[in-house]
Amino acid sequence: RYVLYYSVAKKGERMHCLSVAVASAPEGPFVDSTTAPLVCQEDEGGTIDPSPYVDTDGKAYLLYKSEGTPVGRSGGLWSQQLNADGTGFAGFPVLLMTGDPNSWERGVVEGPSMYRDGEGRLWMFYSGAPWSSDDYGVGVASCPDGPASPCTRANPRPMLKSNDRVVGPGGLEAFRDGGRNPRVVFHAYKPGKVGYPNNRILVVGSLRLDHDSVALDY
């Protein structure tokens, strides 16, 4: 089966949680037969931004973000090992990183995504700063002890930030294409059209092997 993780508003509350749906084909239809959220960190103000990651040993994990802001805290990035069918958990949540209010992140970290390079190094990409501003960008952290252990920022500055082509880039997901080439997708605003209610565009790029920048080939 194919498994879909998504954020949803909790009924009757101003809070988001994560749920899960399954389908027999990637184009769906996906059916959510759950009666409770998969993850809902109420003490942290809710949960959003799910991203699955399967490591080289075949173990699958779900990365996600605790909101933080609704309860006066910085956002946090988490990892939790999934069970065999991907609809529940086999492990406890691990806090990977929290937002730094004194850095470019301004206390906001979200949209986690993991990628293991050809040398076996595990990296976590994440978005930081307010999403509706031109300060929004993508940072990178190193996770040398695996997807179930805390990660450390690899660079004090964002690896991808606003430029003359895209503004407020974020939500980056890294993957390998059919030729096993490192690739990324992310969203961004067009210059001069930043913030709600402007729409964001989807950008496809190539991941440079030095892991400190993204080559945009669109």
Side-chain angles (χ1 to χ4, degrees):
R1 300 184 301 177
Y2 294 84
V3 185
L4 171 71
Y5 306 99
Y6 65 102
S7 301
V8 60
K10 188 174 182 181
K11 186 176 181 180
E13 298 184 29
R14 297 183 64 181
M15 179 182 296
H16 285 83
C17 307
L18 301 185
S19 195
V20 59
V22 296
S24 59
E27 62 269 26
F30 284 84
V31 177
D32 185 341
S33 58
T34 62
T35 57
L38 177 66
V39 182
C40 195
Q41 298 163 293
E42 295 188 16
D43 291 344
E44 298 288 340
T47 310
I48 60 173
D49 293 352
S51 175
Y53 170 73
V54 181
D55 209 357
T56 51
D57 60 3
K59 293 180 180 179
Y61 300 82
L62 188 66
L63 310 180
Y64 49 85
K65 174 209 175 174
S66 56
E67 288 266 41
T69 303
V71 291
R73 300 180 185 177
S74 295
L77 304 180
W78 302 75
S79 171
Q80 193 165 356
Q81 186 178 342
L82 290 160
N83 61 14
D85 67 7
T87 60
F89 294 110
F92 295 101
V94 175
L95 180 61
L96 303 174
M97 194 172 74
T98 56
D100 182 354
N102 298 315
S103 74
W104 67 272
E105 301 162 3
R106 292 163 60 182
V108 177
V109 287
E110 56 193 24
S113 169
M114 283 187 173
Y115 175 84
R116 192 175 289 278
D117 66 21
E119 297 182 19
R121 296 173 298 186
L122 182 63
W123 304 92
M124 179 176 69
F125 303 102
Y126 65 93
S127 304
W131 63 269
S132 60
S133 74
D134 55 9
D135 293 328
Y136 200 57
V138 177
V140 59
S142 173
C143 308
D145 297 320
S149 297
C151 303
T152 303
R153 291 168 179 80
N155 196 314
R157 298 177 299 276
M159 61 170 283
L160 177 62
K161 60 184 180 180
S162 297
N163 54 53
D164 59 356
R165 290 172 289 178
V166 295
V167 180
L172 185 145
E173 289 276 345
F175 65 99
R176 288 185 174 86
D177 64 16
R180 306 298 294 168
N181 301 304
R183 305 278 280 172
V184 296
V185 292
F186 62 91
H187 56 66
Y189 293 105
K190 294 181 179 179
K193 297 183 177 180
V194 182
Y196 182 82
N198 294 299
N199 293 321
R200 290 186 282 194
I201 58 173
L202 183 67
V203 184
V204 181
S206 298
L207 182 63
R208 292 179 182 169
L209 298 180
D210 59 10
H211 297 282
D212 66 2
S213 59
V214 175
L216 306 180
D217 57 353
Y218 65 98

